[in-house]
PDB file of all heavy atoms in Angstrom:
ATOM      1  N   PHE A 296      28.530  21.449  51.387  1.00 93.00           N
ATOM      2  CA  PHE A 296      28.752  20.528  52.563  1.00 93.00           C
ATOM      3  C   PHE A 296      30.309  20.393  52.849  1.00 93.00           C
ATOM      4  O   PHE A 296      30.684  19.358  53.325  1.00 93.00           O
ATOM      5  CB  PHE A 296      28.077  19.265  52.190  1.00 93.00           C
ATOM      6  CG  PHE A 296      26.611  19.265  52.113  1.00 93.00           C
ATOM      7  CD1 PHE A 296      25.959  19.376  50.893  1.00 93.00           C
ATOM      8  CD2 PHE A 296      25.879  19.436  53.259  1.00 93.00           C
ATOM      9  CE1 PHE A 296      24.531  19.401  50.712  1.00 93.00           C
ATOM     10  CE2 PHE A 296      24.524  19.531  53.126  1.00 93.00           C
ATOM     11  CZ  PHE A 296      23.842  19.483  51.894  1.00 93.00           C
ATOM     12  N   ARG A 297      31.146  21.359  52.583  1.00 95.00           N
ATOM     13  CA  ARG A 297      32.479  21.402  52.888  1.00 95.00           C
ATOM     14  C   ARG A 297      32.476  21.415  54.391  1.00 95.00           C
ATOM     15  O   ARG A 297      31.738  22.112  55.185  1.00 95.00           O
ATOM     16  CB  ARG A 297      33.161  22.685  52.431  1.00 95.00           C
ATOM     17  CG  ARG A 297      33.472  22.572  50.882  1.00 95.00           C
ATOM     18  CD  ARG A 297      33.978  23.990  50.448  1.00 95.00           C
ATOM     19  NE  ARG A 297      34.999  24.566  51.269  1.00 95.00           N
ATOM     20  CZ  ARG A 297      35.794  25.511  50.925  1.00 95.00           C
ATOM     21  NH1 ARG A 297      35.802  25.871  49.628  1.00 95.00           N
ATOM     22  NH2 ARG A 297      36.659  26.104  51.684  1.00 95.00           N
ATOM     23  N   PRO A 298      33.410  20.577  55.081  1.00 96.00           N
ATOM     24  CA  PRO A 298      33.450  20.516  56.546  1.00 96.00           C
ATOM     25  C   PRO A 298      33.744  21.907  57.134  1.00 96.00           C
ATOM     26  O   PRO A 298      33.131  22.213  58.139  1.00 96.00           O
ATOM     27  CB  PRO A 298      34.719  19.653  56.764  1.00 96.00           C
ATOM     28  CG  PRO A 298      34.677  18.751  55.581  1.00 96.00           C
ATOM     29  CD  PRO A 298      34.288  19.586  54.400  1.00 96.00           C
ATOM     30  N   ASP A 299      34.542  22.747  56.535  1.00 96.00           N
ATOM     31  CA  ASP A 299      34.858  24.012  57.107  1.00 96.00           C
ATOM     32  C   ASP A 299      33.549  24.935  57.090  1.00 96.00           C
ATOM     33  O   ASP A 299      33.359  25.761  58.040  1.00 96.00           O
ATOM     34  CB  ASP A 299      36.046  24.742  56.487  1.00 96.00           C
ATOM     35  CG  ASP A 299      35.748  24.839  54.923  1.00 96.00           C
ATOM     36  OD1 ASP A 299      35.097  24.209  54.400  1.00 96.00           O
ATOM     37  OD2 ASP A 299      36.542  25.746  54.452  1.00 96.00           O
ATOM     38  N   ARG A 300      32.879  24.698  56.041  1.00 96.00           N
ATOM     39  CA  ARG A 300      31.544  25.483  55.875  1.00 96.00           C
ATOM     40  C   ARG A 300      30.547  25.035  56.995  1.00 96.00           C
ATOM     41  O   ARG A 300      29.886  25.857  57.627  1.00 96.00           O
ATOM     42  CB  ARG A 300      30.965  25.405  54.535  1.00 96.00           C
ATOM     43  CG  ARG A 300      29.641  26.126  54.293  1.00 96.00           C
ATOM     44  CD  ARG A 300      29.161  25.853  52.761  1.00 96.00           C
ATOM     45  NE  ARG A 300      27.950  26.531  52.500  1.00 96.00           N
ATOM     46  CZ  ARG A 300      27.721  27.871  52.165  1.00 96.00           C
ATOM     47  NH1 ARG A 300      28.820  28.537  51.999  1.00 96.00           N
ATOM     48  NH2 ARG A 300      26.584  28.267  51.999  1.00 96.00           N
ATOM     49  N   LEU A 301      30.403  23.748  57.107  1.00 97.00           N
ATOM     50  CA  LEU A 301      29.399  23.162  58.151  1.00 97.00           C
ATOM     51  C   LEU A 301      29.827  23.623  59.705  1.00 97.00           C
ATOM     52  O   LEU A 301      28.986  23.957  60.365  1.00 97.00           O
ATOM     53  CB  LEU A 301      29.290  21.697  58.153  1.00 97.00           C
ATOM     54  CG  LEU A 301      28.839  21.138  56.765  1.00 97.00           C
ATOM     55  CD1 LEU A 301      28.914  19.605  56.708  1.00 97.00           C
ATOM     56  CD2 LEU A 301      27.434  21.656  56.476  1.00 97.00           C
ATOM     57  N   GLN A 302      31.186  23.619  59.777  1.00 97.00           N
ATOM     58  CA  GLN A 302      31.677  24.233  61.148  1.00 97.00           C
ATOM     59  C   GLN A 302      31.305  25.638  61.274  1.00 97.00           C
ATOM     60  O   GLN A 302      30.834  26.048  62.417  1.00 97.00           O
ATOM     61  CB  GLN A 302      33.069  23.995  61.205  1.00 97.00           C
ATOM     62  CG  GLN A 302      33.774  24.362  62.525  1.00 97.00           C
ATOM     63  CD  GLN A 302      35.293  24.197  62.590  1.00 97.00           C
ATOM     64  OE1 GLN A 302      35.966  24.181  61.533  1.00 97.00           O
ATOM     65  NE2 GLN A 302      35.877  23.823  63.760  1.00 97.00           N
ATOM     66  N   TRP A 303      31.434  26.366  60.324  1.00 97.00           N
ATOM     67  CA  TRP A 303      31.175  27.885  60.482  1.00 97.00           C
ATOM     68  C   TRP A 303      29.564  28.029  60.706  1.00 97.00           C
ATOM     69  O   TRP A 303      29.214  28.728  61.640  1.00 97.00           O
ATOM     70  CB  TRP A 303      31.478  28.550  59.039  1.00 97.00           C
ATOM     71  CG  TRP A 303      31.196  29.970  59.117  1.00 97.00           C
ATOM     72  CD1 TRP A 303      32.218  31.019  59.264  1.00 97.00           C
ATOM     73  CD2 TRP A 303      29.949  30.761  58.895  1.00 97.00           C
ATOM     74  NE1 TRP A 303      31.629  32.237  59.287  1.00 97.00           N
ATOM     75  CE2 TRP A 303      30.330  32.174  59.023  1.00 97.00           C
ATOM     76  CE3 TRP A 303      28.718  30.388  58.575  1.00 97.00           C
ATOM     77  CZ2 TRP A 303      29.392  33.164  58.829  1.00 97.00           C
ATOM     78  CZ3 TRP A 303      27.678  31.284  58.431  1.00 97.00           C
ATOM     79  CH2 TRP A 303      28.065  32.675  58.595  1.00 97.00           C
ATOM     80  N   ILE A 304      28.699  27.237  60.005  1.00 97.00           N
ATOM     81  CA  ILE A 304      27.263  27.324  60.142  1.00 97.00           C
ATOM     82  C   ILE A 304      26.890  26.981  61.606  1.00 97.00           C
ATOM     83  O   ILE A 304      26.134  27.654  62.255  1.00 97.00           O
ATOM     84  CB  ILE A 304      26.645  26.353  59.081  1.00 97.00           C
ATOM     85  CG1 ILE A 304      26.756  27.005  57.691  1.00 97.00           C
ATOM     86  CG2 ILE A 304      25.111  26.302  59.463  1.00 97.00           C
ATOM     87  CD1 ILE A 304      26.295  26.034  56.744  1.00 97.00           C
ATOM     88  N   ALA A 305      27.548  25.942  62.128  1.00 97.00           N
ATOM     89  CA  ALA A 305      27.229  25.545  63.501  1.00 97.00           C
ATOM     90  C   ALA A 305      27.627  26.698  64.492  1.00 97.00           C
ATOM     91  O   ALA A 305      26.829  26.943  65.411  1.00 97.00           O
ATOM     92  CB  ALA A 305      28.031  24.364  63.935  1.00 97.00           C
ATOM     93  N   GLU A 306      28.753  27.313  64.316  1.00 97.00           N
ATOM     94  CA  GLU A 306      29.124  28.478  65.206  1.00 97.00           C
ATOM     95  C   GLU A 306      28.077  29.567  65.016  1.00 97.00           C
ATOM     96  O   GLU A 306      27.709  30.222  66.000  1.00 97.00           O
ATOM     97  CB  GLU A 306      30.577  28.855  64.866  1.00 97.00           C
ATOM     98  CG  GLU A 306      30.994  30.001  65.689  1.00 97.00           C
ATOM     99  CD  GLU A 306      32.220  30.733  65.350  1.00 97.00           C
ATOM    100  OE1 GLU A 306      32.963  30.197  64.371  1.00 97.00           O
ATOM    101  OE2 GLU A 306      32.687  31.687  65.950  1.00 97.00           O
ATOM    102  N   TYR A 307      27.734  29.902  63.741  1.00 98.00           N
ATOM    103  CA  TYR A 307      26.950  31.047  63.415  1.00 98.00           C
ATOM    104  C   TYR A 307      25.525  30.779  64.125  1.00 98.00           C
ATOM    105  O   TYR A 307      24.991  31.584  64.763  1.00 98.00           O
ATOM    106  CB  TYR A 307      26.771  31.171  61.943  1.00 98.00           C
ATOM    107  CG  TYR A 307      25.682  32.067  61.514  1.00 98.00           C
ATOM    108  CD1 TYR A 307      25.599  33.398  61.762  1.00 98.00           C
ATOM    109  CD2 TYR A 307      24.497  31.437  60.850  1.00 98.00           C
ATOM    110  CE1 TYR A 307      24.479  34.160  61.329  1.00 98.00           C
ATOM    111  CE2 TYR A 307      23.502  32.191  60.473  1.00 98.00           C
ATOM    112  CZ  TYR A 307      23.487  33.611  60.695  1.00 98.00           C
ATOM    113  OH  TYR A 307      22.341  34.290  60.331  1.00 98.00           O
ATOM    114  N   GLU A 308      24.999  29.574  64.031  1.00 97.00           N
ATOM    115  CA  GLU A 308      23.743  29.292  64.558  1.00 97.00           C
ATOM    116  C   GLU A 308      23.733  29.332  66.072  1.00 97.00           C
ATOM    117  O   GLU A 308      22.814  29.781  66.623  1.00 97.00           O
ATOM    118  CB  GLU A 308      23.291  27.869  64.047  1.00 97.00           C
ATOM    119  CG  GLU A 308      22.867  27.818  62.515  1.00 97.00           C
ATOM    120  CD  GLU A 308      22.474  26.338  62.115  1.00 97.00           C
ATOM    121  OE1 GLU A 308      22.791  25.440  62.818  1.00 97.00           O
ATOM    122  OE2 GLU A 308      21.870  26.329  61.040  1.00 97.00           O
ATOM    123  N   ARG A 309      24.801  28.864  66.683  1.00 97.00           N
ATOM    124  CA  ARG A 309      24.887  28.986  68.168  1.00 97.00           C
ATOM    125  C   ARG A 309      24.882  30.511  68.578  1.00 97.00           C
ATOM    126  O   ARG A 309      24.126  30.863  69.506  1.00 97.00           O
ATOM    127  CB  ARG A 309      26.191  28.341  68.633  1.00 97.00           C
ATOM    128  CG  ARG A 309      26.396  28.424  70.140  1.00 97.00           C
ATOM    129  CD  ARG A 309      27.676  27.706  70.538  1.00 97.00           C
ATOM    130  NE  ARG A 309      28.828  28.289  69.877  1.00 97.00           N
ATOM    131  CZ  ARG A 309      29.458  29.428  70.334  1.00 97.00           C
ATOM    132  NH1 ARG A 309      29.046  29.984  71.342  1.00 97.00           N
ATOM    133  NH2 ARG A 309      30.514  29.844  69.766  1.00 97.00           N
ATOM    134  N   ARG A 310      25.558  31.340  67.831  1.00 97.00           N
ATOM    135  CA  ARG A 310      25.635  32.790  68.250  1.00 97.00           C
ATOM    136  C   ARG A 310      24.257  33.496  67.938  1.00 97.00           C
ATOM    137  O   ARG A 310      23.913  34.380  68.528  1.00 97.00           O
ATOM    138  CB  ARG A 310      26.754  33.348  67.563  1.00 97.00           C
ATOM    139  CG  ARG A 310      28.202  32.927  68.137  1.00 97.00           C
ATOM    140  CD  ARG A 310      29.304  33.639  67.385  1.00 97.00           C
ATOM    141  NE  ARG A 310      30.625  33.302  67.934  1.00 97.00           N
ATOM    142  CZ  ARG A 310      31.305  34.061  68.828  1.00 97.00           C
ATOM    143  NH1 ARG A 310      30.756  35.167  69.346  1.00 97.00           N
ATOM    144  NH2 ARG A 310      32.417  33.713  69.254  1.00 97.00           N
ATOM    145  N   ALA A 311      23.734  33.024  66.762  1.00 97.00           N
ATOM    146  CA  ALA A 311      22.556  33.739  66.307  1.00 97.00           C
ATOM    147  C   ALA A 311      21.322  33.574  67.222  1.00 97.00           C
ATOM    148  O   ALA A 311      20.364  34.299  67.138  1.00 97.00           O
ATOM    149  CB  ALA A 311      22.225  33.223  64.862  1.00 97.00           C
ATOM    150  N   ARG A 312      21.241  32.380  68.004  1.00 95.00           N
ATOM    151  CA  ARG A 312      20.068  32.156  68.779  1.00 95.00           C
ATOM    152  C   ARG A 312      19.844  33.162  69.816  1.00 95.00           C
ATOM    153  O   ARG A 312      18.569  33.223  70.264  1.00 95.00           O
ATOM    154  CB  ARG A 312      20.309  30.807  69.624  1.00 95.00           C
ATOM    155  CG  ARG A 312      20.138  29.502  68.719  1.00 95.00           C
ATOM    156  CD  ARG A 312      19.975  28.266  69.505  1.00 95.00           C
ATOM    157  NE  ARG A 312      21.352  27.821  70.077  1.00 95.00           N
ATOM    158  CZ  ARG A 312      22.196  27.113  69.337  1.00 95.00           C
ATOM    159  NH1 ARG A 312      21.782  26.662  68.270  1.00 95.00           N
ATOM    160  NH2 ARG A 312      23.253  26.803  69.980  1.00 95.00           N
ATOM    161  N   GLY A 313      20.644  33.957  70.104  1.00 96.00           N
ATOM    162  CA  GLY A 313      20.497  35.113  71.180  1.00 96.00           C
ATOM    163  C   GLY A 313      20.152  36.384  70.465  1.00 96.00           C
ATOM    164  O   GLY A 313      20.056  37.405  71.190  1.00 96.00           O
ATOM    165  N   HIS A 314      19.761  36.367  69.203  1.00 98.00           N
ATOM    166  CA  HIS A 314      19.336  37.602  68.542  1.00 98.00           C
ATOM    167  C   HIS A 314      18.199  37.377  67.571  1.00 98.00           C
ATOM    168  O   HIS A 314      18.002  36.255  67.126  1.00 98.00           O
ATOM    169  CB  HIS A 314      20.580  38.112  67.685  1.00 98.00           C
ATOM    170  CG  HIS A 314      21.778  38.434  68.512  1.00 98.00           C
ATOM    171  ND1 HIS A 314      22.691  37.499  68.958  1.00 98.00           N
ATOM    172  CD2 HIS A 314      22.284  39.636  68.838  1.00 98.00           C
ATOM    173  CE1 HIS A 314      23.623  38.233  69.727  1.00 98.00           C
ATOM    174  NE2 HIS A 314      23.523  39.455  69.625  1.00 98.00           N
ATOM    175  N   ALA A 315      17.478  38.354  67.382  1.00 98.00           N
ATOM    176  CA  ALA A 315      16.392  38.394  66.322  1.00 98.00           C
ATOM    177  C   ALA A 315      16.716  39.270  65.134  1.00 98.00           C
ATOM    178  O   ALA A 315      17.577  40.198  65.167  1.00 98.00           O
ATOM    179  CB  ALA A 315      15.172  38.911  66.981  1.00 98.00           C
TER     180      ALA A 315
END
Side-chain angles (χ1 to χ4, degrees):
F296 296 103
R297 285 172 43 163
D299 58 340
R300 181 180 176 87
L301 296 178
Q302 184 182 28
W303 185 97
I304 291 172
E306 179 190 359
Y307 165 69
E308 290 178 343
R309 178 178 61 81
R310 291 177 177 267
R312 279 193 287 270
H314 297 76

